Amino acid sequence: TPKNKYERVANCNYATKVAKDLGCKLVGISGQDIADGNEKLLLAIWWQLMRKDFMQFLDDLDMDQAFVLSWANAQVARSGADMQLSRFGDPAIKSGVFLLQLMRA
């Protein structure tokens, strides 16, 4: 347990180093941001770590993003919705409607 603010920031700097070593992109994010509890930046790191873990999980199952996207599109189409994603970064996913249709399928 850190005894003071400087040790806490040093620990958080180490956490950012580990995240970068794992392949996370931490542009403009420092250990100080974590120590200060900047929620937006913490969520950005958290999301990248979760995505990395998920992609490793898919890789362990010999699946890739294209397979998951194809499966999701097929499930939504089977439910009768007229929606398709072309990629995970597709702007149509931002509204959440596709995800709701997928959960409903």
Side-chain angles (χ1 to χ4, degrees):
T1 304
K3 297 177 185 171
N4 56 49
K5 178 181 178 178
Y6 301 106
E7 288 181 6
R8 189 170 67 241
V9 171
N11 288 346
C12 294
N13 282 331
Y14 181 67
T16 60
K17 180 192 177 310
V18 170
K20 286 178 186 176
D21 291 346
L22 289 172
C24 294
K25 296 176 184 174
L26 305 182
V27 178
I29 301 175
S30 69
Q32 184 68 52
D33 296 316
I34 296 171
D36 291 343
N38 185 317
E39 188 173 310
K40 183 177 180 180
L41 298 178
L42 285 167
L43 287 172
I45 296 169
W46 190 260
W47 177 253
Q48 289 185 62
L49 290 170
M50 286 182 6
R51 185 174 194 283
K52 180 166 183 51
D53 183 62
F54 178 70
M55 296 312 295
Q56 182 61 52
F57 174 74
L58 289 179
D59 191 48
D60 292 345
L61 297 174
D62 292 325
M63 295 180 191
D64 61 4
Q65 289 185 34
F67 176 84
V68 174
L69 191 60
S70 175
W71 173 84
N73 281 331
Q75 296 301 311
V76 169
R78 193 181 78 199
S79 75
D82 187 27
M83 305 178 87
Q84 296 285 300
L85 294 181
S86 59
R87 58 188 172 85
F88 281 108
D90 195 312
I93 205 168
K94 289 183 181 180
S95 70
V97 175
F98 183 86
L99 295 173
L100 290 171
Q101 290 292 340
L102 180 59
M103 287 188 282
R104 189 176 129 202

